[in-house]
Amino acid sequence: MKSNILIIGGNGTVGKTIARIFASRNPQAAIFIGGRKQGKTDNDLIIDVTKPHTFQVIIDKKIDVIILSVNDKEDHVLRFAIENKIDYLDITKPTPDLVKAYDFAKKHTINSRIVFSSGWMGGIVSGLINEFSDSINDIDEAKLFVYYSVKDLAGESSAHFMAENVAKPFFKYQNNKPVSIKHFLDAEPFRFSFGIGTRQAYNFDVPDLYILNQIEKIPNVSVKMTYNSKFITWLLGAFQKIRLYNILSLKERKMIFGSSGNGDQSIFEIVIKTHEGSKKISLQSTKGQAELTALSAVLHVEHLLKNSYENKIYFSHHLYQNSSLFQSLNASETIHIKITE
């Protein structure tokens, strides 16, 4: 695949992993890394998402696809991609920023492929739901359960999002109505696969809540998560109950959520309910969330470049047909997927 690929935020944990995976699968592609500091090679570009004047190099290098793996709160890169007709894939936006960016893009004429892929683990949850449902329109309820290990290798963006938003309410959806909730409350027991067992799972905000309800029109959508440490999970819930997050400074909250290990498994499970019954999709990434998120981004870009998609706005699951996402993920030795009826 002869293409010029730019990864903005390519010096971060996920960005580096995207570059490694993409290069291994597409050796003929030219991969450029965008960051705020000068790198060591000609493919290292100075690009600061807060300074649009640094974007001229994107035109100079004839970039075909921009992969955004750093949070661009003001959507400068999105605006630049739309104005210059460059394909764009964003894997970083928390829910409020995703909603804002999507609303912004809808107001413009689109002459490239604009892909929002900010759902859990690179936006593959909606794709798997779509592939393993007879019709997404028949789904009454979708529940996502996340198992997160504090030993996993994680980038700064997710920790910073939690620090900034843990005291703020967000929405799940019941009968197509938004219900205001907060992180780490409303414990629900859930039996995780892959030897984890039953854990208490708590409210958690990911863009899939918005995508599955507002875009795919599933009337009931919720997301809950648990940490590998039962004590840490309980402690975070206790902090929320006593409103400790409300009085802690942002710096102090970052200390709570900013830990990152050397690597561990990542697991999520999707429970889909229709009038005819329920189905559970279980996915384990033995190399953890950074690897799975990066692989997802690579798969999205490969599909984007190999297929003649028309110029418009997409969510990443719209790029796949039949069981192509499942087959692509299942081909990896580090990913295991189980379907339980």
Side-chain angles (χ1 to χ4, degrees):
M1 180 184 311
K2 292 184 179 180
S3 302
N4 292 336
I5 307 299
L6 169 63
I7 305 169
I8 300 180
N11 292 311
T13 300
V14 175
K16 287 180 179 178
T17 310
I18 292 173
R20 170 175 56 79
I21 295 174
F22 199 93
S24 68
R25 294 167 59 97
N26 305 280
Q28 68 276 39
I31 300 174
F32 296 87
I33 304 299
R36 290 177 293 179
K37 298 180 180 179
Q38 182 63 56
K40 297 179 180 180
T41 74
D42 291 340
N43 284 23
D44 292 303
L45 311 178
I46 296 179
I47 298 175
D48 186 335
V49 298
T50 67
K51 300 175 180 178
H53 68 269
T54 65
F55 298 171
Q56 177 58 40
V57 69
I58 299 174
I59 302 297
D60 296 341
K61 295 295 183 179
K62 299 180 180 180
I63 297 301
D64 297 300
V65 182
I66 298 171
I67 303 174
L68 190 62
S69 65
V70 65
N71 196 8
D72 175 18
K73 287 184 174 294
E74 300 303 320
D75 294 317
H76 291 310
V77 178
L78 174 60
R79 180 187 296 273
F80 185 86
I82 291 173
E83 290 177 349
N84 292 278
K85 305 176 184 179
I86 301 172
D87 289 344
Y88 166 98
L89 178 87
D90 189 336
I91 63 169
T92 62
K93 293 192 182 303
T95 309
D97 293 345
L98 171 64
V99 174
K100 181 169 73 74
Y102 181 50
D103 288 342
F104 170 81
K106 287 190 295 183
K107 296 175 182 177
H108 291 76
T109 301
I110 304 298
N111 292 299
S112 61
R113 284 84 62 86
I114 302 298
V115 183
F116 294 111
S117 184
S118 295
W120 189 248
M121 295 296 98
I124 59 176
V125 170
S126 299
L128 290 173
I129 289 176
N130 192 48
E131 290 190 5
F132 287 104
S133 305
D134 293 333
S135 172
I136 203 165
N137 296 325
D138 295 332
I139 298 175
D140 294 322
E141 182 179 40
K143 301 177 75 172
L144 172 63
F145 293 90
V146 172
Y147 171 86
Y148 177 78
S149 173
V150 295
K151 297 184 290 183
D152 199 359
L153 180 64
E156 292 184 354
S157 59
S158 58
H160 286 183
F161 168 75
M162 285 303 304
E164 292 173 354
N165 294 278
V166 66
K168 300 176 183 178
F170 63 97
F171 296 113
K172 68 174 184 178
Y173 295 89
Q174 290 181 347
N175 297 319
N176 280 322
K177 295 181 179 179
V179 177
S180 181
I181 56 177
K182 281 191 174 182
H183 289 93
F184 305 121
L185 294 179
D186 306 324
E188 177 180 345
F190 180 76
R191 185 171 182 80
F192 284 86
S193 306
F194 306 106
I196 301 301
T198 301
R199 297 295 187 98
Q200 293 293 324
Y202 293 78
N203 296 337
F204 192 58
D205 182 21
V206 296
D208 304 87
L209 288 162
Y210 173 83
I211 295 168
L212 292 173
N213 179 262
Q214 297 293 298
I215 305 302
E216 296 302 337
K217 308 304 180 184
I218 296 176
N220 299 285
V221 185
S222 63
V223 178
K224 296 198 173 184
M225 68 92 70
T226 190
Y227 281 79
N228 64 309
S229 167
K230 293 182 180 180
F231 174 72
I232 289 177
T233 308
W234 173 84
L235 190 64
L236 293 173
F239 285 176
Q240 190 70 283
K241 284 184 178 179
I242 64 174
R243 300 178 180 270
L244 181 63
Y245 299 121
N246 297 70
I247 61 176
L248 292 176
S249 68
L250 178 60
K251 182 178 179 180
E252 289 169 329
R253 295 198 301 268
K254 284 183 177 180
M255 291 175 65
I256 294 174
F257 295 104
S259 63
S260 179
N262 295 319
D264 198 5
Q265 67 175 342
S266 177
I267 292 169
F268 69 78
E269 312 209 33
I270 311 160
V271 178
I272 305 167
K273 294 183 179 180
T274 67
H275 293 302
E276 297 180 354
S278 63
K279 181 179 295 184
K280 184 169 74 169
I281 305 167
S282 308
L283 186 147
Q284 177 195 47
S285 171
T286 58
K287 284 194 173 182
Q289 65 167 353
E291 189 83 10
L292 180 55
T293 300
L295 175 60
S296 300
V298 170
L299 294 177
H300 302 336
V301 173
E302 288 177 348
H303 273 72
L304 197 63
L305 294 174
K306 291 178 180 177
N307 296 281
S308 300
Y309 297 106
E310 63 181 291
N311 294 330
K312 65 177 186 178
I313 302 169
Y314 297 87
F315 287 86
S316 54
H317 63 281
H318 295 149
L319 303 177
Y320 298 88
Q321 296 180 350
N322 302 321
S323 60
S324 57
L325 176 60
F326 167 73
Q327 291 170 356
S328 298
L329 292 169
N330 209 38
S332 171
E333 294 180 354
T334 65
I335 294 175
H336 307 105
I337 301 175
K338 298 193 298 186
I339 310 298
T340 307
E341 298 285 350

